[in-house]
Amino acid sequence: MSTIRLTLIILQPSLINFLTSFTNGAITIGLPTIAQSIGLPRALYLWPTSVLGLTSGAILLIAGSVADIIGARIVELVGVLFLGAFTLACGLSKTGVQLVLSRALQGVGFAMHLPASVSLVAAAVPPGRARNIGFACLGLSQPLGFSVGLVVGGVILERAGWRTSFYVSGSLMLIAAIVAIWTLPRVKAGPKDASEAPWWKKLATQVDWLGGGLVGAGLAILAYVLAILSADLISIRSTTTASLLASSLFLLTCFPLWMHYRVRSGKVALIPNGLWKSLPFAATCVMVALAYGMINAMELFSSLYFQEVQKFSVITTSLYLLPNLLVGTLINLNVGIFVDRVPVRWLTTISCLLCALSPLFMAVLNPTWPYWYLEFWAQIFAPISGNVLFTVGLIVVSERFPENTQALAGAVFNTVGQFGQSLGIGLVQVVALGVMGKGDDDQEEGGKELRGYRAGFWTMFAYMGVCALFAVVGLRNVAKVGLKKQ
């Protein structure tokens, strides 16, 4: 293919990632205003931000398997159409229930898009630096879109209203879907030894529907429990919460048992248990989950800290988060270019340690100190690990799957990331709420809210310490990744 065609193949899915993450950032920065506009109860505050990850994470593996069977191109086109339609529906929402439902259906389209985009790039771009850059662009587009949503979304909120962000994003997605009909390559579907059976028969026999249902339902229920606890910590005592948590753990326990049965029976398994015996693969998945949880929790809690503790306006908060955007962009672009030249163990370890400085600075600062003392540097260091690990992690995971199942590889990687995001935000919120609920209001500026946010930042700091430990131990035998194959 020509360079122009390859560039378009990489840019189209990257644009969709960017626009979806842009709406996530716009919701995060405008949550108080949106909630007041549509009457969203405080107990449901986190649902507009978390429900997309919940629904997309629940069906990612199935979507990846389907894309490998019937072709990534058609799955990508349908997914982008879904995304565009329900992004517009978010802007048209009149009630909190309508917004949450539209965001949930957005997640369905996003789940179709994510694995298909990985498969399309892997099919069109040969292994080596070109593919590394392609994966880096897919990675760059998500945090970049979220950060731009935080900054530009705040300005749009003040000038044109929060609905405008959804109208613009949804319209651009639909336009991108139409353009993709001519730009996206026609990737050969199915394994190389696949029969000429109709596609519907292949879906019935070659997709592990039960396995996808087990892990998807288990992760979705667990994310739902975390969302409930993050809204009301007392709900942990209820029988409903306990039952849901037990159901989630049961389903997740059944998944490896089902994988074992599928492999022994000679049938297709979504994630064969043997993959977890690869220490680099297992460690990378854990690190991606931890880094995704930290970077998303950091952006959300920083935004709330600036607005609720320091009482800054939406526009000021957007500007204070701007360094996060700029640094994340620079890091991701450079990682794609140089990842095959640097020992991956030290690249990931150093990035985790630098990223750990971000929540550390936010945890120890005094709210009365100027922004430039510590908060600026916290935003500088915040995106380092997440952006490094996206490119490194996607390369490591994709290399463990055959070329004809790259959509499933993308689904595995993004499932880990989505779960890590839900787990990270939920866990940090639970810790913050637990600390806020203890003791009386103190005399320090910020009171209970300040104590809660500090506890959340300390939790993120611990997250990155564990992530660095996995990098040192799990990648000790890995030299470099993303090398060109001879």
Side-chain angles (χ1 to χ4, degrees):
M1 294 185 185
S2 66
T3 302
I4 296 177
R5 182 76 187 280
L6 287 176
T7 302
L8 290 175
I9 291 171
I10 293 172
L11 289 182
Q12 189 275 339
S14 298
L15 175 63
I16 302 303
N17 284 349
F18 176 89
L19 292 172
T20 304
S21 297
F22 176 87
T23 61
N24 295 340
I27 281 185
T28 300
I29 195 67
L31 192 55
T33 303
I34 295 172
Q36 184 178 6
S37 171
I38 61 178
L40 185 70
R42 178 72 187 187
L44 299 178
Y45 251 36
L46 291 184
W47 275 104
T49 58
S50 62
V51 72
L52 183 144
L54 191 154
T55 53
S56 63
I59 62 173
L60 266 168
L61 292 176
I62 290 294
S65 296
V66 170
D68 284 327
I69 298 301
I70 68 174
R73 185 174 183 271
I74 184 63
V75 173
E76 169 73 0
L77 292 174
V78 174
V80 175
L81 286 172
F82 236 77
L83 269 170
F86 287 104
T87 299
L88 290 174
C90 289
L92 296 170
S93 299
K94 301 298 182 184
T95 66
V97 173
Q98 290 177 359
L99 178 61
V100 171
L101 181 60
S102 297
R103 288 282 290 169
L105 293 172
Q106 250 191 304
V108 174
F110 199 43
M112 299 172 71
H113 157 74
L114 285 174
S117 65
V118 174
S119 179
L120 288 167
V121 172
V125 185
R129 187 163 301 162
R131 185 182 289 188
N132 298 344
I133 294 174
F135 284 163
C137 288
L138 292 179
L140 165 67
S141 55
Q142 292 191 50
L144 178 61
F146 187 85
S147 300
V148 172
L150 288 174
V151 177
V152 178
V155 177
I156 293 176
L157 179 81
E158 292 283 337
R159 304 300 181 189
W162 65 270
R163 299 179 188 275
T164 305
S165 295
F166 291 98
Y167 295 151
V168 173
S169 298
S171 300
L172 290 176
M173 287 180 187
L174 293 177
I175 294 172
I178 296 172
V179 174
I181 296 174
W182 289 277
T183 60
L184 294 182
R186 297 183 180 275
V187 181
K188 185 178 180 180
K192 294 178 181 178
D193 59 346
S195 65
E196 297 301 322
W199 63 267
W200 53 271
K201 282 189 176 180
K202 293 182 180 180
L203 290 182
T205 59
Q206 298 180 24
V207 176
D208 184 6
W209 295 97
L210 181 57
L214 287 173
V215 69
L219 293 177
I221 294 173
L222 182 57
Y224 177 73
V225 171
L226 290 171
I228 292 175
L229 295 178
S230 66
D232 181 13
L233 195 56
I234 298 177
S235 64
I236 196 173
R237 303 173 184 173
S238 70
T239 55
T240 301
T241 302
S243 299
L244 288 172
L245 183 59
S247 300
S248 170
L249 296 177
F250 174 75
L251 292 172
L252 293 176
T253 302
C254 289
F255 179 70
L257 298 177
W258 178 249
M259 292 297 99
H260 177 71
Y261 167 77
R262 296 282 295 187
V263 172
R264 288 196 61 180
S265 303
K267 299 178 181 179
V268 176
L270 282 177
I271 311 176
N273 293 332
L275 277 178
W276 301 106
K277 296 179 181 179
S278 170
L279 187 58
F281 174 81
T284 298
C285 288
V286 173
M287 287 189 294
V288 168
L290 292 171
Y292 262 50
M294 183 273 169
I295 191 173
N296 284 279
M298 185 68 190
E299 289 172 326
L300 176 60
F301 269 63
S302 294
S303 173
L304 295 174
Y305 185 91
F306 291 144
Q307 294 182 71
E308 295 188 352
V309 174
Q310 297 182 310
K311 309 300 181 184
F312 290 125
S313 67
V314 172
I315 292 182
T316 301
T317 298
S318 299
L319 293 175
Y320 280 179
L321 295 170
L322 185 60
N324 189 314
L325 182 161
L326 299 176
V327 172
T329 302
L330 291 174
I331 289 174
N332 220 313
L333 287 174
N334 283 285
V335 170
I337 296 173
F338 297 109
V339 67
D340 58 338
R341 303 181 185 180
V342 183
V344 69
R345 182 187 186 190
W346 299 116
L347 178 64
T348 53
T349 302
I350 293 172
S351 69
C352 289
L353 294 176
L354 289 175
C355 190
L357 294 175
S358 176
L360 176 63
F361 290 163
M362 294 297 292
V364 301
L365 68 86
N366 187 311
T368 61
W369 291 351
Y371 170 75
W372 305 103
Y373 278 19
L374 288 179
E375 290 167 316
F376 170 75
W377 296 105
Q379 298 307 312
I380 289 289
F381 291 121
I384 294 178
S385 180
N387 285 278
V388 168
L389 275 169
F390 189 100
T391 303
V392 171
L394 193 50
I395 293 172
V396 170
V397 172
S398 66
E399 287 179 348
R400 295 304 187 275
F401 286 79
E403 287 292 321
N404 58 323
T405 59
Q406 286 298 294
L408 180 58
V412 171
F413 176 83
N414 283 287
T415 297
V416 171
Q418 294 287 349
F419 172 69
Q421 177 180 332
S422 298
L423 179 63
I425 293 177
L427 180 61
V428 172
Q429 180 77 349
V430 166
V431 171
L433 285 176
V435 173
M436 288 181 191
K438 293 181 179 179
D440 299 324
D441 238 353
D442 50 40
Q443 300 301 314
E444 186 179 6
E445 184 178 351
K448 291 182 178 181
E449 288 77 13
L450 178 58
R451 292 205 310 269
Y453 286 131
R454 281 177 172 167
F457 289 128
W458 280 118
T459 304
M460 297 178 213
F461 176 72
Y463 244 62
M464 295 316 301
V466 175
C467 193
L469 181 62
F470 270 93
V472 172
V473 177
L475 301 178
R476 65 179 183 273
N477 295 323
V478 180
K480 297 177 183 179
V481 296
L483 299 173
K484 184 177 180 179
K485 296 182 180 179
Q486 300 298 326

